[in-house]
Amino acid sequence: MAELDKYYAPKELLGVRSIAVGVGVIGTLAWAVGTYFSPEQGLRSWLLGFIFWTGLTIGGLGILMLQYLTGGAWGIAIRRIVEACSRTLPLIIVLFVPLAIGVGMHKFMEFTHLPPDDHAVLHRGVFMAPWFWIVRSGIYFVLFGIMIHLLNKWSAAQDKTEDLAASERLLEICSKFSGPTMVIYALVVTFAVVDWVMFLDPHWFSTIWGLLFVAGWALSCFAFSIILLSWLATKAPMDGVVTKRHFHDLGKLMLALVMVWAYFNFSQFLIIWSGNIPEETGWFITRMKGAWGWMGAALIIFHFAFPFLILLQQDFKRQTKRLATLGVFILVMRLIDMFYQIAPTPRLTEGIEKGAFIVSWMDVVAPIAIGGLWLWFFIGEYMKRPIVPVKDPFYERCVSHGRAH
């Protein structure tokens, strides 16, 4: 069996980790000062960063289960990346605290200020209570935590196996667990994003909302995994594992998720447009006017059309650095997409019209601050274990797959 000590991440990541935590701490302090003077804007900006980076954590969990269900060399190559992404959940819970405090103190989100006779409150009852919003979020974190703990526990146990039969048993456990759990995962993600994002506009609803985030968060995590893997591919030990063929596979999956994201967004628009119900159409009408309309058009072009056309080219998916550059571009568009979802929603601050185009400096600082802290925590988790599952029964097949013609 392979010697695990040879398969740990290169030490250069420690330097990146130090920079990340510095950026994270400085950015958080700057955000805290801004929030003191403008609490609602600060919390909205924090939510933007929280939703974006939580996408890598929860998206990593989804991709991990998907890989156990489908198999394939692509999953072996990025398994330890998505596992480390998922293990950042403790930090995500800590980062959620400012949002919970904001909702608990009625400083954030319109539903915390709705009168008792509002039709949304009358129909949803205790579901609209701020304290229950916080309790539900805690339940989501517990459910995600159970999934993450078990899958990572079994993966770590696989590294300690001494024979093929034991490794196969653990792989079978992970696969059987991931089947029904994937359904639970999709439901929990749906409930979570309804509470965390859709509740910004409590009078609007969409039945496809959860799937938008399931696909979008998976796309974010794939883009991040490709970026990191392209950097590792030139260094030991990953230079002896991954090849252009692995990147080609990952590029095809990223193309699929770009199309799925676009399909879900178009489906949501088509369903609401054809229904033509005032409670539903207002969300799109706001985002089709002025600067929001231009941003929506930019998302169609640069979040879908551009990466779609680029990723259709087979040779491009085999060019590691170019594929990683596209991954960075997609992550930027993912952040803009989250801003497009969050920023036009109603505000509590008096004198600001619903749907007003407002871009705060904290909308830039908060995602950077959370990103620095998230990368610091992620790198720490990633360096704790071998960066490839060398005891997995299909590991050798993954390596040989990359060298096939």
Side-chain angles (χ1 to χ4, degrees), residues 121-135:
V121 176
L122 292 174
H123 284 278
R124 297 173 184 171
V126 71
F127 200 81
M128 298 291 286
W131 68 266
F132 193 40
W133 184 90
I134 297 171
V135 170

Side-chain angles (χ1 to χ4, degrees), residues 166-380:
S167 178
E168 288 178 338
R169 282 196 298 272
L170 286 167
L171 181 61
E172 184 180 3
I173 290 172
C174 290
S175 299
K176 289 182 176 180
F177 175 81
S178 297
T181 307
M182 181 65 83
V183 178
I184 299 172
Y185 167 86
L187 290 173
V188 177
V189 168
T190 297
F191 277 96
V193 297
V194 165
D195 278 350
W196 296 343
V197 184
M198 189 183 291
F199 259 39
L200 285 165
D201 191 344
H203 298 109
W204 182 75
F205 52 89
S206 168
T207 54
I208 206 169
W209 190 250
L211 292 177
L212 283 173
F213 283 82
V214 169
W217 283 354
L219 176 59
S220 294
C221 196
F222 260 111
F224 175 78
S225 298
I226 289 171
I227 295 166
L228 179 57
L229 198 63
S230 71
W231 183 78
L232 292 169
T234 60
K235 299 173 176 60
M238 199 61 84
D239 58 352
V241 178
V242 297
T243 66
K244 292 181 179 180
R245 194 170 185 188
H246 292 105
F247 284 96
H248 183 256
D249 293 341
L250 292 170
K252 288 188 290 185
L253 288 165
M254 192 160 67
L255 169 62
L257 284 168
V258 166
M259 291 189 293
V260 170
W261 173 86
Y263 171 74
F264 285 155
N265 272 279
F266 177 72
S267 297
Q268 176 178 258
F269 176 81
L270 184 63
I271 291 168
I272 291 177
W273 175 79
S274 60
N276 199 27
I277 301 173
E279 289 86 349
E280 297 178 344
T281 55
W283 192 90
F284 279 104
I285 290 173
T286 298
R287 287 164 177 78
M288 293 172 69
K289 295 179 179 179
W292 295 121
W294 288 105
M295 184 174 290
L299 284 170
I300 294 172
I301 296 171
F302 296 111
H303 196 316
F304 167 62
F306 176 71
F308 171 74
L309 293 173
I310 292 295
L311 288 170
L312 281 178
Q313 304 174 52
Q314 179 171 317
D315 290 342
F316 183 89
K317 294 191 286 288
R318 291 177 176 269
Q319 298 178 38
T320 306
K321 292 184 178 179
R322 291 188 179 183
L323 188 63
T325 301
L326 182 62
V328 174
F329 180 81
I330 287 175
L331 284 180
V332 173
M333 297 312 300
R334 293 291 308 132
L335 182 60
I336 294 173
D337 181 42
M338 292 299 96
F339 181 75
Y340 183 75
Q341 307 282 358
I342 292 171
T345 54
R347 295 172 180 258
L348 300 178
T349 305
E350 294 182 2
I352 298 179
E353 182 183 356
K354 179 181 177 179
F357 186 78
I358 299 174
V359 181
S360 168
W361 63 271
M362 286 187 282
D363 292 328
V364 177
V365 170
I368 292 175
I370 293 177
L373 297 175
W374 190 92
L375 287 172
W376 164 76
F377 200 94
F378 164 81
I379 293 172

Side-chain angles (χ1 to χ4, degrees), residues 50 88-98 141-142 145:
F50 173 83
T88 60
L89 184 65
L91 175 65
I92 291 298
I93 295 173
V94 173
L95 296 173
F96 181 76
V97 171
F141 288 131
V142 169

